[in-house]
Amino acid sequence: MYAVMGITGNVGGAVARTLLAKGEKVRGIVRNPEKAAEWQEQGAELFKADYDNVDALTAAFTGVAGVFVMVPPNFAPAPGFAETKSTLQVLHEALSRALPSKAVYLSSIGAEQASGLGLITSSHLLEETLGDLPFSHAFLRAGWFFENSAGDVASARNEGKIRFQLHPLDQKFPLVATADIGKVGAETLTQNWTGIRHIEVAGPEGYSPLDIADAFADAVGRPVEAIAVPRAEWEMLWVSQGMPEGRTAPRAEMVDGFNSGWIHFGVPGTEHVDGATPLCEVITQLVTRSKDVS
């Protein structure tokens, strides 16, 4: 049996689906079992454990062949990433008590860097904090999620426009589908190794903002224009979308890192896996799901 955190999300769900398809048993670690009832119907065992409960997480991590670990995303962290550090300390304590033989973690492209990461600093902290535990580790350094484009569905459909902070519009960026990340995570969990592995998880190719706009155009059935938002306007745009004022700097620093190439694949000493899911497939899914919801 494998314990999986984040089973109700995109990546954790993909890990669980892949494991179940392989005939493996899955223990889904959830904060609200009622919201994960569908997983129980698919054969997963559900284990209730909050991210701040050391005892519950210790029990969840005990008696399994391996653990998939992830920290909840925080797009507007407090200065110093206090929330992430607190969660990581709880995870460190729980894992040090349970001592599974191996763990696979959702990390991020760029996590090897100690600065200039913005929001990806949380992944750097994860690798730094949990990598000293006495069992085998594999950190999945995943690219920018295709699914980050979910927020662009409405503007693509209604306005025929998408506003990008990634610049320039024709530059290819390291994007990947969460389904591919989950598949790599599940396959890694079922492998045996010793020590620490760093695995870059990319899409089948790089994609530009123009490529994203074209994929949306095909999905919504109308021309979609890619618009580059000047950096000076990022904060105003994000606050208008609901981000708290004074909390946008980490997001801006992360995007700067992608635009400049500071955050990149091809780090010496890492493994590299290219996923098979094309951008157009995920964009079509996002558009279809939004129609189902509406």
Side-chain angles (χ1 to χ4, degrees):
M1 177 176 286
Y2 295 94
V4 178
M5 301 186 77
I7 194 171
T8 57
N10 286 328
V11 177
V15 171
R17 275 191 296 275
T18 304
L19 288 171
L20 290 170
K22 288 174 170 287
E24 303 287 353
K25 294 182 179 180
V26 170
R27 174 182 294 169
I29 302 172
V30 296
R31 285 174 281 192
N32 187 339
E34 293 180 1
K35 292 184 177 180
E38 65 176 285
W39 285 104
Q40 203 163 24
E41 296 170 2
Q42 294 179 51
E45 168 191 307
L46 298 183
F47 197 108
K48 187 178 186 304
D50 290 328
Y51 279 84
D52 60 354
N53 191 324
V54 173
D55 293 336
L57 285 173
T58 299
F61 296 153
T62 300
V64 296
V67 180
F68 179 75
V69 179
M70 60 180 293
V71 174
N74 185 347
F75 298 105
F81 291 83
E83 305 98 333
T84 296
K85 290 177 180 178
S86 177
T87 298
L88 289 173
Q89 288 305 315
V90 172
L91 287 171
H92 190 280
E93 177 66 20
L95 288 166
S96 68
R97 292 184 190 178
L99 290 178
S101 62
K102 57 190 171 185
V104 176
Y105 308 85
L106 177 60
S107 186
S108 172
I109 182 174
E112 77 285 351
Q113 309 279 25
S115 64
L117 295 175
L119 296 177
I120 294 174
T121 300
S122 62
S123 293
H124 176 78
L125 292 170
L126 179 146
E127 295 193 13
E128 188 176 56
T129 303
L130 303 181
D132 68 346
L133 291 162
F135 48 80
S136 300
H137 304 274
F139 295 99
L140 305 184
R141 291 180 176 168
W144 183 291
F145 296 177
F146 289 164
E147 285 79 0
N148 289 342
S149 293
D152 297 318
V153 174
S155 62
R157 178 188 290 130
N158 300 331
E159 303 175 43
K161 298 177 181 179
I162 299 178
R163 296 162 181 83
F164 290 96
Q165 290 82 56
L166 292 174
H167 300 164
L169 294 177
D170 60 353
Q171 179 171 315
K172 302 288 186 179
F173 291 93
L175 277 60
V176 64
T178 53
D180 287 338
I181 303 168
K183 181 179 179 182
V184 174
E187 292 176 346
T188 304
L189 268 176
T190 58
Q191 298 168 1
N192 293 313
W193 76 94
T194 57
I196 298 178
R197 300 168 66 185
H198 298 99
I199 306 172
E200 298 178 345
V201 188
E205 59 182 297
Y207 294 96
S208 69
L210 292 177
D211 294 328
I212 296 173
D214 287 343
F216 267 107
D218 290 339
V220 302
R222 64 173 295 178
V224 176
E225 179 186 5
I227 300 173
V229 180
R231 195 188 187 290
E233 298 176 12
W234 292 358
E235 181 175 8
M236 181 174 62
L237 173 64
W238 291 333
V239 170
S240 74
Q241 294 171 340
M243 285 191 72
E245 289 190 39
R247 295 286 188 92
T248 61
R251 184 173 177 180
E253 184 177 61
M254 178 187 70
V255 179
D256 283 338
F258 276 98
N259 290 346
S260 69
W262 175 251
I263 297 171
H264 61 85
F265 280 140
V267 176
T270 59
E271 302 172 51
H272 186 91
V273 179
D274 289 326
T277 306
L279 173 68
C280 60
E281 180 176 318
V282 174
I283 298 301
T284 299
Q285 290 172 355
L286 294 176
V287 171
T288 300
R289 287 173 192 161
S290 72
K291 291 179 182 176
D292 293 339
V293 170
S294 59

